[in-house]
């Protein structure tokens, strides 16, 4: 009996090793099949790996050269496997490398004798480390389209590095899903195409930055129609349009845009935005409230008496703070993902009455406006706060305010206004206030 027991342990040990080998072979075969199918779908070369060497995909997708493989980070037994994607796009801009800011970035740069390059966007500068010998050229190169692409990469990948000619990202583990491999490659290629030549998209985003959200969404829609008609739809510019539609309260239209993206180009970020757009009622935002009507005094009322306008009821202590500093901190400094900012806005702020102060940066009169409707008025862009240290220009937070057509305002005026908080544009950090009135 003791002999049998003694033999059982080696047998069990060998069986365990055999099971591990079989499991490893099965996982290897599963990975190889997923990568083979991905290569076939993408039209690129699949180089099978072995138990000791990684698989690899290489080839051209929509004019850009793509490489996908697995790498290990760490040393010895203490290492981690990542799936690595490398997208080569035509050189654009000066030599540079952009990576995520981390706790030791500043110390590392000091010891390396390099300065922290700032481009004038506080959130971008807080998130991204720029390594370059030509800060002025890099600041000019990083227009809104490129900054959005870089920020999206940093939000959704374990590691992302962007240069003037290469996008490189890593995702933890060995990817064993054909669908995920294909979707990731397509999304990164679409970003690479816009990084190399943003052109029309950047013109649309400049409109968005100036507070013309609906006009920007329509321009992005035309651009996407053009790309699609040419047989080269771009999932990243489609996502930009969908986000603008959501911010406008057009959840159904946003869903239509996202649903039009080919299934093999749909990644987790697109799915999250689409789920959010579909989760809202139609329309997802309440319609803009009409301005309050003031009844004419009846004949038996002494019109010489002062009419008393009641103040809105006080907010309970548990209510969300509506002062501009609290709103700015909550929406723009909370590290929420894109759709989570919109969720927070709908939950806490939509339709609330706010009274804010600021300086008028821009203004224009309108007969009709795509953001504020057909009632003539003035569209004023008012700086109401900042993010960061205040030294930069584009770290400013603006309220885009609808004012009456006879409002006595001029560029540079410090004004106090009251109105209905209706929209947030998290990319451009604009807050929309409808039916505004100048307040004392």
């Amino acid at each position: 009996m003791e002999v049998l027991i003694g033999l059982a342990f080696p047998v069990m040990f060998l069986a365990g090793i055999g099971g591990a080998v079989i499991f490893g072979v099965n996982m290897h075969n599963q990975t190889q099949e997923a990568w083979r199918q991905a290569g076939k779908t993408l039209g690129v070369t699949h180089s099978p790996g072995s138990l000791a060497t990684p698989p690899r995909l290489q080839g051209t997708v929509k004019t850009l050269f793509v490489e996908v493989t697995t790498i290990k980070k760490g040393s010895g037994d203490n290492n981690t496997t990542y799936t690595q994607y490398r997208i080569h796009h035509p050189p654009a801009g000066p030599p540079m490398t952009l990576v995520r800011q981390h706790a030791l970035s500043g110390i590392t740069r000091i010891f390396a004798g390099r300065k922290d390059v700032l481009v004038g966007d506080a959130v971008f500068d807080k998130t991204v480390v720029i390594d370059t010998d030509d800060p002025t050229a890099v600041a000019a190169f990083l227009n809104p389209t490129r900054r959005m692409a870089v920020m999206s990469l940093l939000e959704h990948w374990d590691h992302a590095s962007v240069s003037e000619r290469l996008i490189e990202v890593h995702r933890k583990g060995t990817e064993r899903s054909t669908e995920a491999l294909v979707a990731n490659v397509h999304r990164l290629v679409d970003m690479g195409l816009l990084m190399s030549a943003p052109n029309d998209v950047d013109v649309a985003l400049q409109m968005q930055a100036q507070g013309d959200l609906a006009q920007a969404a329509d321009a992005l829609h035309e651009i996407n129609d053009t790309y699609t008609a040419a047989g080269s739809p771009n999932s990243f510019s489609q996502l930009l349009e969908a986000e603008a539609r959501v911010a406008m309260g057009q959840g159904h239209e946003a869903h239509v845009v996202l649903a039009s993206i080919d299934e093999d180009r749909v990644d987790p970020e697109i799915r999250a935005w689409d789920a959010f757009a579909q989760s809202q009622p139609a329309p997802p935002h309440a319609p803009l409230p009409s301005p309050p009507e003031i009844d004419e005094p009846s004949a038996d009322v002494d019109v010489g008496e002062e009419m008393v306008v009641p103040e809105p009821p006080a907010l309970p202590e548990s209510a969300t703070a509506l002062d501009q500093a609290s709103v700015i901190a909550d929406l723009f400094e909370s590290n929420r993902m894109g759709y989570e900012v919109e969720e927070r806005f709908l939950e806490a702020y939509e339709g609330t009455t706010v009274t804010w102060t600021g300086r008028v940066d821009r203004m224009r009169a309108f007969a009709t406006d795509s953001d504020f409707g057909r009632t003539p008025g003035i569209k004023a862009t008012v700086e109401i706060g900042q993010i960061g240290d205040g030294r930069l220009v584009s770290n400013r937070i603006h309220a885009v305010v609808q004012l009456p057509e006879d409002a006595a305002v001029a560029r540079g005026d410090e004004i106090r206004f009251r109105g209905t908080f209706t929209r947030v544009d998290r990319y451009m950090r604009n807050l929309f206030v409808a039916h505004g009135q100048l307040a004392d």
Side-chain angles (χ1 to χ4, degrees), residues 143-145 198-210 212 215-216 219-220 223 428:
N143 53 31
T145 305
N199 300 334
D200 293 344
V201 172
D202 211 57
V203 172
L205 295 182
Q206 292 290 356
M207 299 177 191
Q208 189 172 338
Q210 294 172 5
D212 294 319
Q215 187 177 354
L220 286 167
I223 291 167
M428 301 304 177

Side-chain angles (χ1 to χ4, degrees), residues 94-97 109 114-115 117 130-139:
M96 62 181 169
T97 303
R109 293 179 69 79
R114 306 191 69 86
K115 296 181 179 179
V117 177
I130 302 173
D131 190 1
T132 182
D133 292 323
D134 194 346
T136 302
V138 167

Side-chain angles (χ1 to χ4, degrees), residues 278-311:
Q278 292 185 72
S279 72
Q280 303 305 313
H285 292 257
L288 296 182
S290 300
E293 296 183 0
I294 300 177
D295 295 332
E296 293 294 329
S298 59
D300 58 350
V301 174
D302 183 353
V303 296
E305 295 180 4
E306 182 179 356
M307 296 184 65
V308 178
V309 179
E311 289 292 324

Side-chain angles (χ1 to χ4, degrees), residues 15 51-52 74-75 83 85 97 115 117 142 169 177 187 265 309 348:
L51 291 176
S75 59
T83 302
Y85 299 79
T97 303
K115 296 181 179 179
V117 177
L142 289 172
V169 296
S177 164
R187 178 68 181 283
R265 288 172 167 78
V309 179

Side-chain angles (χ1 to χ4, degrees), residues 415-428:
I415 65 171
R416 180 176 173 84
F417 59 91
R418 181 182 180 86
T420 305
F421 190 8
T422 57
R423 294 175 186 163
V424 60
D425 180 351
R426 68 110 180 186
Y427 260 139
M428 301 304 177

